[in-house]
Amino acid sequence: MTAKISYDEVEVGTELPAQSFPVSRATLVRYAGASGDFNPIHWNEKFAKEVGLPDVIAHGMFTMAEAIRVVTDWAGDPGAVAEYGVRFTKPVVVPNDETGALIEVSAKVAAKLDDDDRTVRVDLTAMSAGQKVLGMSRAVVRLA
Amino acid sequence: MALDQSFVGRTYPPTDPYEVGREKIREFAEAIGDTNPAYTDADAAKALGHSEVIAPPTFVFAITFKAAGQVVEDPQLGLDYSRVVHGDQKFAYTRPVRSGDRLSVTSTIEAIKTMAGNDIIDIRGEVHDEAGEHVVTAFTKLVARAAKEA
């Protein structure tokens, strides 16, 4: 496993390049097929509203998959991720238009965990429509 | 009705192996719009020290969640799946999932709590490859929202 970022060059507080990820109804249908999660709250507006949601919402696992891209793009090697966890705090509501929704992800190095293991903890923030959609979103990454 | 606490610590039999395919990984990477070549190009993956294309970190959830279904749908446990939402998710990796892996999942109920009428269940899914080596552990928290009083 070869991350492109060196442990020695990273400091606590280092910000990773932020990214925004668009999500449309078509994105959700594609993700449903790829992941095998066909829960209708992710593609059927009528059903979503009947169970009390404002509209179709993105799969939490889709949001989780997008957020970690900020870390894997930065580290270079996706295999450098040793741990990754999130709490699903708010749904990403996806309107039925061409724009859809936007998931905005920022991240910073919160701690250097182990000089021998060369691991850091990265804290992530994921927002959509001005609301925090992931809480306690953290990854442990093994750097070069 | 609160869930039966005696289920805490229960481990379910390992699932039949799921064979991870290159094209399934490609499909998943495309669905999340991730163009990292480690997911689609074996040479790029090898340049990073992997023996084959690897899967994005959250790919394995499709396998562990299906395995968690053994627990969720256990009629003796009596969880109302129509009220279940995904609360937390965490993965701890020994190595990334890669194409050609034959993975089986052993699910254990770690905790059952009732808070404000909601049933909260923590399931640990240990993922092993065909050689019996640990690949990743998935920690899944499911919340069954309280049923409205009739």
Side-chain angles (χ1 to χ4, degrees):
Chain A
M1 324 289 166
T2 42
K4 288 172 185 164
I5 302 290
S6 162
Y7 178 82
D8 300 326
E9 288 166 14
V10 165
E11 293 169 12
V12 170
T14 297
E15 297 202 6
L16 282 57
Q19 294 190 57
S20 294
F21 305 101
V23 45
S24 68
R25 293 287 177 87
T27 316
L28 296 183
V29 170
R30 199 175 302 125
Y31 182 80
S35 69
D37 182 347
F38 296 102
N39 189 326
I41 60 174
H42 305 305
W43 51 269
N44 184 332
E45 190 168 324
K46 179 171 172 283
F47 183 90
K49 287 181 173 166
E50 276 171 9
V51 297
L53 293 165
D55 203 337
V56 161
I57 62 166
H59 304 70
M61 288 307 301
F62 175 83
T63 306
M64 188 178 184
E66 297 300 341
I68 197 66
R69 288 174 58 189
V70 166
V71 176
T72 54
D73 285 358
W74 172 72
D77 180 3
V81 177
E83 274 184 40
Y84 177 35
V86 306
R87 173 162 298 164
F88 302 108
T89 48
K90 294 274 183 199
V92 174
V93 179
V94 183
N96 186 24
D97 57 28
E98 284 171 20
T99 316
L102 200 62
I103 299 166
E104 297 167 280
V105 181
S106 57
K108 66 175 184 211
V109 175
K112 296 185 88 166
L113 297 177
D114 188 327
D115 289 348
D116 294 327
D117 219 15
R118 305 178 82 78
T119 45
V120 298
R121 195 186 93 213
V122 174
D123 287 1
L124 296 133
T125 304
M127 308 282 295
S128 186
Q131 286 198 305
K132 197 171 177 181
V133 293
L134 298 178
M136 298 290 289
S137 182
R138 295 172 169 184
V140 174
V141 190
R142 188 168 290 113
L143 298 177
Chain B
M1 190 180 69
L3 295 174
D4 185 350
Q5 282 290 328
S6 71
F7 276 73
V8 175
R10 180 174 299 208
T11 295
Y12 290 74
T15 56
D16 289 338
Y18 174 103
E19 185 163 334
V20 179
R22 267 194 199 194
E23 296 303 334
K24 190 65 194 177
I25 292 175
R26 180 194 304 276
E27 181 190 6
F28 186 89
E30 283 177 356
I32 61 170
D34 196 332
T35 58
N36 194 316
Y39 303 142
T40 51
D41 178 346
D43 290 337
K46 281 172 189 162
L48 294 169
H50 306 295
S51 59
E52 245 296 351
V53 296
I54 61 171
T58 62
F59 174 90
V60 75
F61 182 75
I63 306 165
T64 57
F65 189 61
K66 211 169 183 180
Q70 287 176 298
V71 180
V72 170
E73 291 158 18
D74 185 336
Q76 290 181 300
L77 179 62
L79 196 67
D80 180 356
Y81 187 62
S82 70
R83 295 185 290 120
V84 167
V85 294
H86 199 177
D88 292 35
Q89 183 60 44
K90 183 180 166 186
F91 301 102
Y93 306 90
T94 295
R95 66 162 175 86
V97 168
R98 53 190 178 234
S99 169
D101 274 339
R102 287 170 55 82
L103 302 177
S104 66
V105 186
T106 307
S107 297
T108 299
I109 298 179
E110 285 216 305
I112 293 174
K113 287 177 197 147
T114 302
M115 287 175 69
N118 298 327
D119 290 318
I120 301 165
I121 183 162
D122 288 305
I123 301 166
R124 187 179 82 242
E126 300 278 0
V127 182
H128 291 89
D129 64 17
E130 208 168 20
E133 300 292 328
H134 180 261
V135 178
V136 54
T137 301
F139 301 88
T140 303
K141 187 187 289 290
L142 300 174
V143 181
R145 289 174 298 177
K148 289 200 177 72
E149 295 297 326

